[in-house]
Amino acid sequence: MWTGVANSLPRHEPFEQAPMYVAVMTYLGYGLVTLFGYFRDFLRAVGLEKCHVAQERSEQKDFVPLYQDFENFYNRNLYMRVRDNWNRPICSLPGPVFDLMERISDDYNWTFRFTGRTIPNVINVGSYNYLGFAENNVDFLKTVAEKTQEYGVGVCSTRQEIANLSLHQELEQLVANFLGLESSMAFGMGFATNSMNIPALVGKGCLILSDELNHTSLILGARLSGATIRVFKHNNMHSLEKMLREAICSGQPRTHRPWKKILIMVEGIYSMEGSVVRLPEILALKKKYKAYLYLDEAHSIGAVGPTGRGVTELFNVNAADVDIMMGTFTKSFGACGGYIAGKKVLVDYIRRHSHSAIYATAMSPPVTEQVIRAMKCIMGQDGGIRRVRQLAENTRYFRARLKEMGFIIYGNDDSPVVPILLYMPAKVVAFAREMLRRKIGVVVVGFPATPITEARARFCLSAAHTRPMLDQVRLLRPLRLHNCGCFLSMPITISQR
């Protein structure tokens, strides 16, 4: 339960290393599948095995290849054999449980066919439905239905032209009030909120200091900006301060002129590690070296803090100390889109210079109303605080139980993103298939999305999950992995504490 007191000190975040023999076995596993991949390529070349993959025509042999050789190799020999674990089609509301369309493959996952049956009531621990607002309760969605009838589904124009609705202005004022900031602007796509707004804030002659685990949208926005990018180690204040000091002392390359701006880019909760930004320390460095701070709260807004106001509330710091507050409506709010919030002069500048603000179609009215409904609920109406507290209880309960079982898990105790380390490629595949057999939908991630020795399953918890659901997910008995004939609860996936 929340105590109502936010701790300004960083939470304990274990990133326990795997035993040496686990790392060796993991490399050996990848080595074996790579070796067999080259052997199968040889069989395809001599005609002993059918090649299913699309190939470039001989007339194109003098053109630049569309894909790298190893990328093609990885897709056809490693990913293709296990891709049934991803892109699973659902056919119901993606709430705490959902229904999956059953599909099978007759050619080792090169193609799939649907059987016409569904797999019902699969526990959903893969969606970012942190507060359970992905729901279809008629009473809850009454205002959304009314706005749909009043405004329609789409606006077919940009905010700069004829799609600046009173709903959008209401939402932006609500976001600013929720965060305790002067102003905000809403956008129709969360990814574009980063990738299209960062180039409006910095450019040539500016320096971006980016956490090494930042999301792709932040990385893309930084590259599009034309600014110089330097990457510091994840949540490592020594690495960040060293780069800040060098930037101040040395200035720009060759000319050594002072940087026009120095922008620190971090996330509130990192979606693959479940770790929380060390915000108080970063704010101290930002003030010390007169830099700017860009905080991406896509996974933290609504999900952490006593009243769901994100990491600034979690650490009990002033939100106004963060120069650019970014967040999305795609997770805790059960909708889509994102926002930029901060001082009024900043937001007014974004309205005039951001490509996403000028050229992108405005948020649709029903989506806008859904965000308004969810945010008002969190701000004290209709039991929203109960959802925030329930998510916190579920997070602490689930993490504590996994630790008691001895699993190596990453991240912060307050983070609803719970990665559990699996390491070996065969275990990642077998884990996902066995969990689905037990009607549990989970996301598994491996190389190249993670380091080669840190393949994992990632659980995303929700306030809509009940205690029996969590008990079913947390595996009270050892999982028998029929696909590889081994036990998941053997020491390969157990902490050596």
Side-chain angles (χ1 to χ4, degrees), residues 46-102:
V46 299
L48 296 178
E49 182 176 333
K50 181 179 179 181
C51 183
H52 296 275
V53 71
Q55 295 178 312
E56 295 180 354
R57 294 178 298 178
S58 58
E59 295 89 343
Q60 296 175 306
K61 63 182 181 185
D62 295 328
F63 288 82
V64 176
L66 294 177
Y67 303 100
Q68 297 178 0
D69 288 341
F70 184 76
E71 186 176 314
N72 276 331
F73 174 84
Y74 189 92
N75 282 337
R76 66 177 174 264
N77 292 307
L78 282 75
Y79 172 72
M80 198 61 63
R81 299 299 296 267
V82 299
R83 76 184 184 112
D84 57 294
N85 295 297
W86 293 274
N87 308 314
R88 290 168 174 164
I90 70 171
C91 53
S92 70
L93 175 80
V97 296
F98 53 45
D99 299 338
L100 285 175
M101 299 175 67
E102 186 181 67

Side-chain angles (χ1 to χ4, degrees), residues 167-186:
L167 273 178
H168 298 137
Q169 295 175 330
E170 179 184 355
L171 171 60
E172 289 170 351
Q173 186 60 52
L174 193 62
V175 170
N177 294 341
F178 181 66
L179 298 174
L181 298 173
E182 292 181 10
S183 185
S184 74
M185 182 172 184

Side-chain angles (χ1 to χ4, degrees), residues 93-149:
L93 175 80
V97 296
F98 53 45
D99 299 338
L100 285 175
M101 299 175 67
E102 186 181 67
R103 60 178 183 174
I104 59 176
S105 177
D106 301 313
D107 52 7
Y108 300 102
N109 291 342
W110 287 101
T111 61
F112 292 102
R113 61 182 175 87
F114 295 108
T115 65
R117 297 186 297 269
T118 62
I119 306 174
N121 299 322
V122 177
I123 298 177
N124 179 10
V125 286
S127 296
Y128 305 131
N129 184 26
Y130 296 132
L131 295 181
F133 281 114
E135 55 195 358
N136 56 3
N137 188 302
V138 176
D139 295 330
F140 293 164
L141 300 177
K142 183 179 179 180
T143 60
V144 178
E146 291 173 351
K147 296 302 180 183
T148 305
Q149 291 177 339

